[in-house]
Amino acid sequence: MDHRFIPNLTDEKIADKQLEGLKWTAAHAYQGSPFYRSSMKEQGMEPGDIKTLDDIRKLPFTTAEDLKDGYPMPLLSVPEADVVRIHGSSGTTGKRKILAYTQNDIDVWKDMFARCYELAGLTVTDRVQICVGYGLWTAGVGFQLGCERFGAMALPVGPGLLEIQLQMLTDLKSTCLCSTASMALLMSEEVQKQGLADKIALKKVIFGAETHTPKMRKQFEEALGLEHSFDILGMTELYGPGTGLECMAHEGMHYWADIFIMEILDPDTLEPVAPGEVGEMVLTSLKKEASPLIRYRTHDLTRFIPGTCSCGLNMPRVDKIMGRSDDMFIFRGVNIYPGQIGSVLEGFGELSAEYQISLTRREGLDHMSVRVERLPGSGDGNDENLAKTVANEIRKHILVRSEVKIVGTGTLPRSFAKAKRVQDDRSEE
Ligand code: ADP
Ligand code: ZN
C-alpha cells in the first residue's frame, strides 16, 4: 500500500517501537513528574525494570482520580516553559480534565490525525466540514489540525448552527462531514425535511465522541446518500480525536499502535481478558512529553478484533466503544448500560434511533421509563401494542421491567454533541 502518512510496519517493527517508547515514557515520567515518580516507587519498581513489552504490567495504573488530584496540570512531566497549549475534556463524568501539550505532542497528534483522513480515503481536493466544538475541547482543533496537515480544505463551522451547516453543504459542496453520530443524524433529518438531498455532495461522515448504534448510522448514511461513514477514536487524555479510525472494510477501528499501547483488561481483576473478549481499555502513550499516560484506565469498554484486516493495513484493530463503565446505572439491583437498551431497540424497524431512559423513585421503588420514537407511516400504527412488545423485549434481554412510551418522530431532544440518554432523578424523592 502506498501511503503518505500511514506507516507500513511489520508486527516486529511495531513491537520495537513500542518497547522503545515504553522505556522512554517510563524514564521520562519518572524523571519529570513527582506524581509518576511516587506512584512507581509505591509500586516498588523503577524505569530500568522495563526490559520487555510484558514488563508494562510492572507499571502502576493511572486513573481519572489522579488527574483530578493534579488539577489543573496533572501528570506534567516537562518544565512549564515547554508547554505550548492546554486542552480540557468536556467533563461528561465530573470535573474537567486539563491536559498539557508540547509542540512535539501537537506534531505527533497532527500526523496521527492526517493518517485518519488518509485511511478514510480522502484526497487533498476533499472539503471537510468540521461540526464539532472548537475552543478548550480537543475536537474542533484536532479535526482542523489533521485536515490542514493532510492538505484537504477545512470548513470550520463548529457544532450547532444548522442553517450555516446546510448552507455549507449546498453552496460549498462539502464532501466529508465530521461530527458526533447524534449531530449527523440531526443533519440528515434536516436535509430530508428541507428536501436538500440532491443539492449536497457529501460522500463521507467521520463520527465519534459518543457511542452509536448501527441503526443511527444506517439512518444518516441513507438520508445523506453516503458512500462511507467512519467511527473515530479519541479522548482528551490521549491527545484528542484521531488515535484510530475505521477503514473502508468497516471491521473495527485500526489504532496507531506505534504511538500508544492499548491493553484490554478485566476491570475487576485488571488482568488481560481473553483475545476478543470485552474489557476496559487501558492506554499507555509512547511519545507524549507534556502529560504522558501510563496505564491510564479509560473506563471505556471494548474488545480487540483478532486477525488481520481485509483492507491489508497492518495496524491492530479494536471494536467500537460499547459504553463507559461509569455510564452504567444500577436499576433494581441490575447493572445496565444505556447501550443495552439501544441494542434491544435495534430490532424494531418501526422505531427511530433516538431513545431516552428516565429513572425515578416512588415510595422507595425504582421505576424506569423508556421513550422511543415511531417512524412516520411505519407498522400498523398501534402504539400501545408496540410499546408492550418493546417492554417485553427489554424484559427478556435485560431482565427488568420498564414502562415504554411511544412518541412522535422528532419529539425527543436532539443533540449537537454527545447525546444524553439517561435522566436519573432517583435522588430527588
Ligand atoms: P469526557 O467526555 O470524559 O469529558 P472527552 O471529551 O475527551 O472526555 O471524551 C472522551 C470519551 O468520549 C471517551 O473516553 C469515550 O467514552 C467517548 N468516546 C470518544 N470517541 C468515541 C467513539 N468513537 N465511540 C464511543 N465513545 C467515544
Ligand atoms: Zn482495515
Side-chain angles (χ1 to χ4, degrees), residues 334-364:
V334 181
N335 296 0
I336 303 175
Y337 291 98
Q340 287 178 283
I341 306 270
S343 302
V344 171
L345 303 177
E346 282 290 296
F348 291 86
E350 53 277 68
L351 297 176
S352 89
E354 296 285 356
Y355 62 97
Q356 229 175 17
I357 302 164
S358 129
L359 303 169
T360 51
R361 182 166 291 155
R362 293 194 296 271
E363 287 147 16

Side-chain angles (χ1 to χ4, degrees), residues 89-92 97 209-211 231-232 234-236 300 324 418:
S89 79
S90 49
T92 313
K97 298 162 194 152
E210 58 170 4
T211 51
D231 194 0
I232 190 165
M235 59 172 8
T236 311
D300 286 329
R324 39 213 270 175
K418 303 189 192 221

Side-chain angles (χ1 to χ4, degrees), residues 4-5 106-118 124 141-154:
R4 253 178 83 211
F5 295 99
I106 302 281
D107 291 342
V108 169
W109 184 19
K110 182 164 74 180
D111 284 337
M112 249 192 322
F113 215 133
R115 294 180 187 183
C116 292
Y117 287 120
E118 186 167 56
V124 293
V141 178
F143 275 94
Q144 175 92 22
L145 191 72
C147 184
E148 289 176 358
R149 173 77 176 120
F150 180 72
M153 184 196 294

